[in-house]
Amino acid sequence: MRISVIGCGYLGATHAAAMADLGHEVLGMETDPGRRATLARGEVPMYEPGLAAMLSAAVGTGRLRFTDSYADVAAFADLHFLCVGTPQSPESLAADVSQVVTAVEGLAPHLDRPALVVGKSTVPVGTAQRLSLTLAELAPAGAEAMLAWNPEFLREGFALQDTLHPDRIVLGVADGRAEKVLRDFYAPMIDDGSPVVVTDLATAELVKVAANAFLATKISFVNAMAEVCEATGADVVDLADAIGHDDRIGRRFLNAGIGFGGGCLPKDIRAFVHRAGELGVEDAMSFLRHVDDINQRQRERVVKVATAMVGGRLDGAQVGVWGAAFKPDSDDVRDSPALWVAGQLHLGGAGVRIYDPRANASAARVFPPLEYAESAVEAARGAHLVLHLTEWPEFREITPGDLDDVVSRRRLFDGRNVLDLDAWRSAGWTARAVGRPER
Ligand code: UGA
């Protein structure tokens, strides 16, 4: 099929490349000239495993092209995917939906034949209904220009796998015609076993924020347990393993650590709280404020522990930090707890040398004053404390022997609960972690 993808950021670039890979003809619409030129050369402006190869192959075959013109997009395809960003508004907790509104207002006047516009961006519930009215009003095709909502659940680091093998396909539709078009479009995934949930526009919008709110709640739940474990000498990893064996609870997203970050979970729960307030159901969603507070407190607690581990004063202390991205297999530092902790230690007077396998450049753009190292060992040079803050696999390969002659003091803090603390302790290191006994 011929499709357009409007907005070629993380979601859009992935969707465009993956759909072209499946054999569709794709026209990507991107208003940022730098990003558009990069994509048109077959390059990807962020790190996502496998995406650069898939996108450049799709551009090479001619099945994926880019434009900045809504007229081109409307002439090219009758199925349009809206993938623009909905960041947190600078003034409040709300999501800023201006890019979605601008896209629909830009596209609609060119829709002079039947078309389906499919929103994939994460939006506050009620947005799709408003957009349908805009579409009907501005499109020459009138009611033949339809809107559907099809939220995306891809995770950074697994974006291609999640796009090509989604664990569910949610179709928010106003009538059966839109459902038919989308079922045909997603036939390879549906035939492959991805379950389909067909619902209305509002439910489809809510499914996405509810899923992210649940995941955030799970993480903050286990992080709250970590604090209780620290107060009682209990072990949060054993606790998570034990409760996770209950299928009703499940072990995934129960890893205690420095908390969640990124461009989605933090802003989505805030936007949800804000929207609930507008809808008069703020009390029902007020627990999400606690989820956010627990998450913020995790970061602050790590700064306190780090300060205590270097003897109570950051001034004059040297700290080596492993990891800047909000999670491994990503160079994304948006709301990254690792970079936040590193930044606070620096502001508190410590010398901070940080290393991330992929995110040094993006972190340096956001926080230039830190010292950026070329390797984990270099980050640890002369350190009075090493902090492990993003769980890249390469950090697990490092042994005490690699660092014994590099650091000033043998002290390690594992902010992600994946290092073998016993191995470090038996080599003479002081090793601590979130929610685990000091032994
Ligand atoms: C999240 C959701 O998982 C996706 O389903 C969703 O599509 C996406 O947001 C989105 O809204 O676009 P993502 O932001 O890529 O995906 O990252 P996650 O894998 O959810 O991780 C979020 C944060 O939680 C990371 O900082 C991670 O380190 C942290 N985390 C995760 C924990 O602290 N503990 C865990 O057990 C799991």
Side-chain angles (χ1 to χ4, degrees):
M1 285 168 86
R2 283 178 157 213
I3 66 163
S4 86
V5 173
I6 298 172
C8 295
Y10 220 107
L11 166 59
T14 304
H15 190 65
M19 295 309 119
D21 191 65
L22 285 178
H24 299 293
E25 298 277 323
V26 184
L27 184 60
M29 155 91 193
E30 175 53 57
T31 49
D32 180 303
R35 178 176 283 265
R36 190 172 64 249
T38 304
L39 292 165
R41 284 195 305 273
E43 292 163 21
V44 177
M46 66 270 184
Y47 174 68
E48 174 63 38
L51 180 58
M54 187 178 278
L55 188 129
S56 87
V59 168
T61 61
R63 276 205 300 274
L64 173 56
R65 293 181 298 109
F66 296 92
T67 181
D68 64 349
S69 147
Y70 285 111
D72 284 358
V73 159
F76 180 78
D78 297 321
L79 180 55
H80 306 281
F81 289 93
L82 289 177
C83 296
V84 294
T86 52
Q88 186 174 332
S89 144
E91 289 102 41
S92 72
L93 297 183
D96 173 2
V97 295
S98 58
Q99 292 180 55
V100 188
V101 173
T102 305
V104 171
E105 288 175 351
L107 176 65
H110 300 281
L111 298 178
D112 51 14
R113 53 178 200 260
L116 180 61
V117 179
V118 183
K120 290 188 85 63
S121 312
T122 304
V123 291
V125 58
T127 307
Q129 186 57 38
R130 278 200 291 132
L131 295 175
S132 328
L133 299 177
T134 309
L135 203 55
E137 199 182 308
L138 299 183
E144 293 298 308
M146 294 180 294
L147 186 83
W149 218 260
N150 164 224
E152 176 58 56
F153 303 98
L154 69 80
R155 298 160 296 167
E156 294 188 15
F158 299 90
L160 291 180
Q161 184 191 317
D162 290 348
T163 302
L164 292 169
H165 307 282
D167 55 13
R168 76 283 211 191
I169 297 171
V170 176
L171 305 179
V173 292
D175 73 28
R177 285 175 300 168
E179 179 187 342
K180 165 123 188 32
V181 172
L182 287 170
R183 278 189 183 273
D184 287 348
F185 181 70
Y186 286 124
M189 289 84 151
I190 298 170
D191 293 345
D192 196 33
S194 294
V196 181
V197 179
V198 180
T199 184
D200 51 73
L201 293 173
T203 309
E205 292 167 308
L206 261 182
V207 165
K208 173 60 193 270
V209 280
N212 276 1
F214 192 85
L215 293 171
T217 304
K218 237 183 142 176
I219 299 168
S220 278
F221 175 86
V222 80
N223 281 333
M225 288 299 138
E227 207 169 332
V228 178
C229 286
E230 284 166 26
T232 54
D235 187 326
V236 75
V237 176
D238 292 348
L239 180 139
D241 287 345
I243 64 173
H245 280 300
D246 183 331
D247 283 349
R248 294 170 303 172
I249 295 173
R251 179 64 178 83
R252 295 174 74 192
F253 272 69
L254 278 186
N255 296 319
I258 63 173
F260 57 81
C264 303
L265 262 47
K267 71 112 175 144
D268 285 354
I269 59 169
R270 291 171 199 149
F272 202 3
V273 168
H274 183 91
R275 184 69 183 131
E278 290 175 346
L279 293 167
V281 288
E282 187 165 7
D283 288 351
M285 287 297 117
S286 63
F287 74 95
L288 285 179
R289 286 189 190 277
H290 294 294
V291 168
D292 202 8
D293 290 347
I294 292 167
N295 194 51
Q296 182 59 30
R297 197 164 63 242
Q298 280 310 94
R299 304 175 180 195
E300 288 160 9
R301 289 191 329 111
V302 175
V303 173
K304 278 195 194 132
V305 173
T307 308
M309 284 183 84
V310 295
R313 278 181 62 89
L314 289 175
D315 229 3
Q318 180 65 31
V319 181
V321 174
W322 292 346
F326 84 106
K327 66 189 251 186
D329 272 329
S330 171
D331 62 358
D332 194 343
V333 297
R334 283 178 293 171
D335 212 341
S336 166
L339 193 55
W340 190 91
V341 168
Q344 290 299 308
L345 294 174
H346 167 83
L347 294 172
V352 177
R353 199 172 299 129
I354 186 166
Y355 164 72
D356 188 287
R358 293 281 175 177
N360 271 13
S362 41
R365 278 195 291 277
V366 176
F367 211 105
L370 300 179
E371 214 182 312
Y372 290 88
E374 289 304 312
S375 71
V377 170
E378 278 315 306
R381 193 163 295 285
H384 302 107
L385 170 67
V386 175
L387 297 176
H388 171 248
L389 300 184
T390 311
E391 69 277 33
W392 286 91
E394 71 174 66
F395 299 145
R396 265 164 266 169
E397 308 294 317
I398 299 167
T399 63
D402 295 330
L403 294 190
D404 278 345
D405 298 334
V406 171
V407 294
S408 278
R409 293 280 183 287
R410 296 184 202 176
R411 299 181 190 126
L412 175 72
F413 178 81
D414 182 7
R416 293 295 185 172
N417 276 329
V418 293
L419 301 181
D420 181 353
L421 295 189
D422 288 341
W424 288 86
R425 285 170 181 156
S426 27
W429 284 63
T430 301
R432 293 178 62 179
V434 178
R436 310 203 74 181
E438 285 184 37
R439 275 195 191 113

